């Protein structure tokens, strides 16, 4: 009991949280003839081992009520005393009891269902309510230390580390206290919890990701029902040259969601599915080292980065689905650990038909959240031909959900993980070297393409302008559309970003040239409108 061996072996073999929560019904309802109940009988118990997973305790044969006193112990069966000898398990167990009291083991909830089941005419379930009310009152008073010593001392949510500090690292260690009502800890205004370690029954520690410079961070202790129990603030000055991954320093530069089928040699090596060769690529677009500790992919795939996973300034990190398969197809390309679960090679794969992907920072904020697709106007050459989706101009941090900001990295020629793709602009963007009246950056962006044209469609049901733009998809330049209804006003606000723009057509031309057709909703009430493309390059 509470030995290193007990903690190690139970943690490895069973799901301790579900085991402890399974004990609660028998304890609260006063059942005795059950392994999970107050007597700890050696029968009436189920233990289920899902394939490849830890054992899960399942309550069984609890069709009795009030066999024990209303003030009976709630830690008398199911080996719960062995588990809660560990103070971290202790706070989890009593926190679960509090959660059950708040959600269901209370007068409002119990009266509703006792009344409902009594309508079936077998038994009058409402006769059990006096016992249940008394039991709920006793247990709640026990947890709160009313008339007795609380099993876990009642403490306010607070910070115990320094109120101000300076850090030369991208994270600061923050410690504090919190009662059993604290389920998660998050940054104020952010619904995603931080990664918290509880060190005993009421003490916590976390690694707070830092922004450069001096900032005040507000932490919220959140109950299981989503309400805030308390707040704590800390002011940290970060002098580190390493920055936590965030929306302004990290992009998803390549998505190889549907690789080419395995070659004969790859199949003979055991890699028989195209899915084995999937990968994602991240790029650091900042001048600092970017730290991915505790960042994670949350939708599309699930994958959490290990501590001290870092990308040097301007560099890329490739995350393959199966490391060995990737190494066979792309020898010599450095990678992060694979993201596929070793126990199930059919799971955790990118969808061949498109899906939402999200990368969440250690602070719980979205770094990127968007959806890709395998059909027009997304680059269809990335769907099974061997090419990947490539962010056209990653250094300008373009909108990832816009299909015109993606291309295929060489249709039919294979993918290029870890490598720079496309052509970068050099020179002065506003120069006119050839004297054609256009800036050099524009010439670079449109290559041999025709100048933009505009037409009208959908009149009168859904009036919109069709803006046709031909560009060199290999040029690392991002187009942005702007609209104006009054060219006589040359000041700020004459040109604005239109809303509701969609890419309606994407046509390959010669080489890397392509034609894009954008539908731009006509401004309401405007007699006329003007549209232009603005180009951005690193």
């Amino acid at each position: 009991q509470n030995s290193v061996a007990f903690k190690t072996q139970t943690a490895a073999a069973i799901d301790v949280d579900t085991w402890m929560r399974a004990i609660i019904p028998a304890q609260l309802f006063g059942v005795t003839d059950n392994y999970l109940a107050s007597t700890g009988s050696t029968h009436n118990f189920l233990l289920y081992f899902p394939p490849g997973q830890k054992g899960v305790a399942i309550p069984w044969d609890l069709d009795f009520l009030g066999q024990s006193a209303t003030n009976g112990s709630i830690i008398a069966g199911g080996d719960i005393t062995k588990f809660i000898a560990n103070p971290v398990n202790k706070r989890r167990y009593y926190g679960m009891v509090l959660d059950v009291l708040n959600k269901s083991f209370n007068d409002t909830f119990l009266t509703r269902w006792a009344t409902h089941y009594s309508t079936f005419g077998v038994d009058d379930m409402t006769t059990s309510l006096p016992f249940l009310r008394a039991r709920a009152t006793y247990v709640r008073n026990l947890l709160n230390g009313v008339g007795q010593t609380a099993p876990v001392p009642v403490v306010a949510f607070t910070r115990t580390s320094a109120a101000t500090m300076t850090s030369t690292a991208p994270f600061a260690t923050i410690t504090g206290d919190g009662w059993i009502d604290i389920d998660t800890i998050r940054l104020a205004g952010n619904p995603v919890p931080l990664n918290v370690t509880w060190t005993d029954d009421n003490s916590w520690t976390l690694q707070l990701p830092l922004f450069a410079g001096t900032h005040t961070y507000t932490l919220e202790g959140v109950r299981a029902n989503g309400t805030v129990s308390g707040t704590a603030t800390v002011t940290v000055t970060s002098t580190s040259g390493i920055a936590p991954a965030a929306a302004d320093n990290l992009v998803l530069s390549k998505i190889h969601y549907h690789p080419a089928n395995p070659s004969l040699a790859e199949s003979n090596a055991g890699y028989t599915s195209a899915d084995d060769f999937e990968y994602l690529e991240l790029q650091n677009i900042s001048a600092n080292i970017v730290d991915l500790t505790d960042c994670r992919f949350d939708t599309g795939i699930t994958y959490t980065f290990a501590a001290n996973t870092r990308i040097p300034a301007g560099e890329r990190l490739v995350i393959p689905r199966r490391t060995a398969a990737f190494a066979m197809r792309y020898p010599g390309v450095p990678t992060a650990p694979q993201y596929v679960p070793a126990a199930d090679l059919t799971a955790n794969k990118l969808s061949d038909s498109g899906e939402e992907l999200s990368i969440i920072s250690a602070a719980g904020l979205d770094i990127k959240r968007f959806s890709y697709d395998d059909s027009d106007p997304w680059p269809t050459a990335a769907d099974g031909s061997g090419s990947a989706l490539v962010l056209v101009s990653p250094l300008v941090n373009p909108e990832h959900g816009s299909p015109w900001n993606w291309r295929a990295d060489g249709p039919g020629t294979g993918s290029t993980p870890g490598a720079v793709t496309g052509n970068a602009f050099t020179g002065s963007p506003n120069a006119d070297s050839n004297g054609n009246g256009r800036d050099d950056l524009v010439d670079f962006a449109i290559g041999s393409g025709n100048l933009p044209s505009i037409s009208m469609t959908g009149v009168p049901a859904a009036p919109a302008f069709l803006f046709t733009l031909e560009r060199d998809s290999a040029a690392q330049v991002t187009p942005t559309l702007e609209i104006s209804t009054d060219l006589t006003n040359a000041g700020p606000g004459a040109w604005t970003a239109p809303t509701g723009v969609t890419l309606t057509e994407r046509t390959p031309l010669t080489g890397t040239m392509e034609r894009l057709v954008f539908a731009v909703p006509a401004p309401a009430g405007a007699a006329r409108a003007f549209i232009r493309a603005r180009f951005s390059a690193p």
Side-chain angles (χ1 to χ4, degrees):
Q1 180 171 320
N2 200 32
S3 67
V4 173
F6 177 82
K7 289 186 289 187
T8 301
Q9 292 174 23
T10 54
I14 64 174
D15 186 326
V16 175
D17 267 15
T18 60
W19 187 295
M20 293 192 297
R21 197 165 186 107
I23 290 170
I24 296 173
Q27 298 289 328
L28 291 182
F29 282 99
V31 179
T32 58
D33 187 29
N34 194 284
Y35 170 71
L36 300 176
S38 59
T39 58
S41 301
T42 56
H43 58 194
N44 291 338
F45 173 66
L46 295 177
L47 180 59
Y48 172 59
F49 285 87
Q53 299 181 40
K54 298 178 181 180
V56 178
I58 300 176
W60 174 254
D61 196 12
L62 298 181
D63 52 345
F64 291 93
L65 176 69
Q67 293 177 306
S68 61
T70 57
N71 62 349
S73 171
I74 61 170
I75 57 169
D79 288 319
I80 186 61
T81 55
K82 297 179 182 179
F83 289 105
I84 66 174
N86 178 338
V88 176
N89 286 342
K90 182 179 181 181
R91 78 162 303 275
R92 286 291 295 146
Y93 176 70
Y94 285 112
M96 291 175 187
V97 174
L98 179 63
D99 183 41
V100 171
L101 290 176
N102 291 335
K103 286 181 177 176
S104 56
F105 203 82
N106 55 69
D107 191 56
T108 300
F109 188 92
L110 293 170
T111 299
R112 173 191 172 191
W113 287 104
T115 302
H116 170 73
Y117 284 115
S118 294
T119 61
F120 293 98
V122 178
D123 292 297
D124 182 5
M125 302 296 291
T126 61
T127 59
S128 300
L129 289 174
F131 170 84
L132 296 174
R133 289 170 183 147
R135 183 68 170 151
T137 298
Y138 167 76
V139 175
R140 190 175 293 276
N141 287 342
L142 169 70
L143 298 183
N144 286 281
V146 177
Q148 56 204 300
T149 300
V152 177
V154 181
V155 296
F157 178 75
T158 186
R159 168 190 41 73
T160 56
S161 52
T164 60
M165 60 179 70
T166 298
S167 176
T168 58
F171 295 84
T173 300
I174 311 298
T175 61
D177 291 336
W179 193 47
I180 60 174
D181 64 330
I182 303 300
D183 185 59
T184 60
I185 299 175
R186 68 189 183 196
L187 283 171
N190 187 348
V192 181
L194 295 167
N195 188 8
V196 176
T197 299
W198 290 86
T199 55
D200 58 32
D201 58 5
N202 61 9
S203 302
W204 53 263
T205 181
L206 58 82
Q207 295 297 301
L208 179 67
L210 304 175
F211 298 108
T214 301
H215 295 272
T216 297
Y217 304 85
T218 299
L219 300 173
E220 294 178 337
V222 184
R223 303 183 182 94
N225 64 4
T227 61
V228 176
S229 174
T231 62
T233 62
V234 60
T235 300
V236 187
T237 299
S238 174
T239 60
S240 173
I242 302 173
D248 63 349
N249 61 24
L250 190 72
V251 297
L252 187 54
S253 48
K254 291 190 181 79
I255 308 171
H256 201 22
Y257 66 91
H258 190 180
N261 289 327
S263 66
L264 179 60
E266 290 167 343
S267 295
N268 289 339
Y271 309 120
T272 58
S273 171
D275 298 333
D276 293 338
F277 302 94
E278 290 179 358
Y279 72 82
L280 295 167
E281 179 190 277
L282 299 176
Q283 183 174 349
N284 174 1
I285 59 172
S286 75
N288 296 313
I289 298 171
V290 163
D291 191 300
L292 292 161
T293 299
D294 287 339
C295 293
R296 66 187 185 277
F297 282 92
D298 200 46
T299 58
I301 65 166
T302 55
Y303 176 76
T304 300
F305 290 90
N308 298 318
T309 302
R310 292 171 177 173
I311 309 177
E315 297 298 323
R316 300 161 187 255
L317 179 69
V318 178
I319 312 141
R321 183 165 185 268
R322 295 190 68 183
T323 303
F326 181 91
M328 186 173 184
R329 181 169 287 189
Y330 307 106
V333 177
T335 66
Q338 63 185 22
Y339 66 77
V340 60
D344 185 2
L345 295 179
T346 64
N348 210 30
K349 63 177 294 295
L350 297 167
S351 171
D352 291 350
S353 58
E355 63 187 333
E356 182 183 74
L357 290 175
S358 63
I359 313 173
I360 310 299
S361 75
L365 300 171
D366 281 355
I367 295 176
K368 295 291 180 284
R369 182 181 295 274
F370 67 99
S371 295
Y372 69 91
D373 207 304
D374 70 331
S375 57
D376 285 330
W378 286 81
T380 56
D383 188 18
S385 73
S387 297
L389 282 178
V390 178
L391 202 60
V392 169
S393 188
L395 294 181
V396 301
N397 202 358
E399 170 54 50
H400 284 39
S402 300
W404 59 86
N405 289 329
W406 295 87
R407 67 182 183 90
D409 59 345
T413 62
S415 181
T416 53
V420 176
T421 57
N423 304 317
F425 176 78
T426 58
S428 174
N430 297 320
D432 183 9
S433 300
N434 59 11
N436 66 356
R438 295 194 301 268
D439 291 346
D440 284 356
L441 180 60
V442 174
D443 285 338
F444 178 76
I446 68 174
S448 60
N450 296 315
L451 291 176
S453 62
I454 189 170
S455 59
M456 196 73 174
T457 185
V459 180
F465 295 102
L466 293 180
F467 185 84
T468 300
L469 172 69
E470 294 182 0
R471 70 164 180 182
D472 182 356
S473 66
Q476 293 186 18
V477 179
T478 299
T480 303
L481 300 190
E482 296 179 333
I483 192 168
S484 176
T485 58
D486 181 12
L487 291 186
T488 62
N489 174 17
W495 293 94
T496 59
T499 58
V501 175
T502 57
L503 182 61
T504 62
E505 180 185 332
R506 186 174 205 152
T507 306
L509 301 175
T510 303
T512 56
M513 294 297 298
E514 65 179 1
R515 179 181 297 115
L516 307 176
V517 180
F518 299 89
V520 183
R528 59 183 180 177
F530 307 89
I531 302 174
R532 70 182 183 185
R534 178 183 293 275
F535 297 98
S536 302

